[in-house]
Every structure is written in C-alpha cells, then in structure tokens.
C-alpha cells in the first residue's frame, strides 16, 4: 500500500511540469520583426520620397543615370525608389530606373552609385509624428537633404529640405505585346453574332439539289 502511495505522489509532482510544457507548445509565437517599431525588417518597399519642407520646396528625390541627385517637381521613373531594410531602423535606397544606390559624401552631398558602400549608402530612418520621415547617414550622422533648387546670394550656405514623405509607388505597367489585336465587337445583325459557326468555305453535299 505504501508503494502505491509513493508512486501516485511522484506522479503528482510531474503534473505541473507537463502542464507547463504543453502550455509552451500551444502558445502562439509572434512573427519575427512584426512590430512597426522594428522598421520593416527585411522588407522591400517601392516609394517616392516627396518633400515640401517649410513649404519652400516641393519635389521628389530623383536619382539620374549620370549619378546626380536632384529634386523633381513631378513623379518620374527616375524618382521611383526601392527602400530595403539592412537591419532594424537602417535602410538602403536604390533607384529602380537607374539601378544606382543613394549615397552621401563627407560634405553631405548626395550622389548615385552603381556599387553599394555600407559606409556611404546606409541611412537611418526616423519616423516623425506628422507622417514624414528623416533620413540620416548611419556613418556620418548627416541628414539626407536635397540640394537647393535656387542659389541665394544672401545665403550661400542655404540647404535643401530634410523631411520626406514616402509615397507608395508602383512601376509603370508593361506595354501590351505586339501582334495581339483587340476583339472585334459582335455583329448583332448577323445570324451568328458570336462567330460560333465560323466561315463557310463550301456547301455540304447533303444540301445540294
């Protein structure tokens, strides 16, 4: 009788352990980097970086084929950018049309490079309360700024805007392949408006007189 009591007593000690193990296996696990605070970890976004900082400049950041970075008034294929997370809070910016990475020199000047340099082409993305973003060079700590659209004699050190609004962008739809013609409208006055019978190239011998 004492042996049975000891066996049930030992079995009772394992019940809480088994309950904890079952609870751990049944508990749902969050998706890695699912929090918006982790800055789209590993995600690729296509965006237009629009700015109207201080209402002085309204432009989209544009990376041109020769490597220059300017502000364009309208959206264009050269202003469509690909933002890819390198790690939480740090991204790279690639021009979709020109395949050039947005980079920043020690003097803060922006340029487009065909080769990715982690020190010059990595930017920290900071979200503001008004929906705009601020981008800073991860290595230099300098803000990403567009060059001023017009120079001023009174203020030669005038700097461009530093706040950007990422606007969703999609590449233009590819053109229709050649050789495919649009279907013709049905001939409602015909006995075969849907052309289901097809053309008649001859009469069947069964209908000959």
């Amino acid at each position: 009788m004492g042996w049975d009591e000891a066996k049930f007593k030992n079995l009772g000690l394992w019940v809480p352990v088994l309950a904890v193990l079952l609870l751990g296996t049944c508990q749902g696990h969050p998706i890695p980097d699912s929090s918006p605070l982790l800055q789209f970890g590993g995600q690729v976004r296509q965006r237009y970086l629009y700015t109207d900082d201080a209402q002085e400049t309204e432009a989209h950041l544009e990376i041109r084929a020769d490597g220059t970075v300017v502000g364009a008034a309208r959206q264009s294929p050269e202003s469509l950018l690909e933002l890819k997370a390198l790690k939480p809070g740090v991204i790279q910016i690639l021009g979709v049309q020109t395949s050039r990475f947005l980079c920043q020199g020690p003097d803060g000047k922006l340029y487009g490079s065909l080769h990715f340099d982690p020190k010059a082409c990595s930017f920290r993305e900071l979200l503001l309360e008004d929906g705009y973003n601020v981008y800073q060079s991860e290595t230099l700590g300098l803000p990403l700024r567009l060059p001023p659209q017009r120079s001023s004699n009174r203020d030669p050190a005038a700097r461009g805007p530093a706040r950007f609004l990422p606007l969703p962008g999609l590449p233009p739809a590819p053109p229709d392949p050649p050789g495919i013609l649009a279907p013709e409208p049905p001939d409602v006055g015909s006995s075969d408006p849907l052309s289901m019978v097809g053309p008649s190239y001859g009469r069947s011998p069964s209908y000959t007189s």
Side-chain angles (χ1 to χ4, degrees), residues 5 13 16 50 63 71 76 80 86 93 98 105-106 123 126 160 194 201:
E5 292 179 356
L13 294 176
Y50 168 80
I63 305 177
S76 68
L80 181 61
L86 302 176
I93 301 176
T98 60
F123 295 92
L126 306 175
L194 299 180
Y201 297 102

Side-chain angles (χ1 to χ4, degrees), residues 126-172:
L126 306 175
L127 277 66
L128 304 179
E129 295 181 355
D130 57 0
Y132 282 77
N133 292 355
V134 173
Y135 300 92
Q136 295 179 347
S137 170
E138 184 186 22
T139 304
L140 304 174
L142 299 176
L144 190 157
R145 292 180 179 270
L146 283 177
Q149 292 185 340
R150 62 176 69 91
S151 59
S152 174
N153 296 329
R154 296 181 180 179
D155 187 10
R159 308 185 69 183
R163 296 165 62 252
F164 294 90
L165 181 64
L167 300 177
L170 296 174

Side-chain angles (χ1 to χ4, degrees), residues 69-119:
V69 177
V70 298
R74 299 179 180 273
Q75 294 180 358
S76 68
E78 292 179 325
S79 62
L80 181 61
L81 308 174
E82 182 180 276
L83 281 60
K84 181 179 180 180
L86 302 176
K87 56 185 177 181
V90 179
I91 65 170
Q92 69 180 27
I93 301 176
L94 175 70
V96 176
Q97 177 74 15
T98 60
S99 298
R100 286 183 176 270
F101 294 95
L102 181 66
C103 304
Q104 189 176 45
D107 58 352
K109 184 178 180 180
L110 301 176
Y111 63 95
S113 175
L114 293 174
H115 305 283
F116 177 74
D117 182 359
K119 294 183 178 180

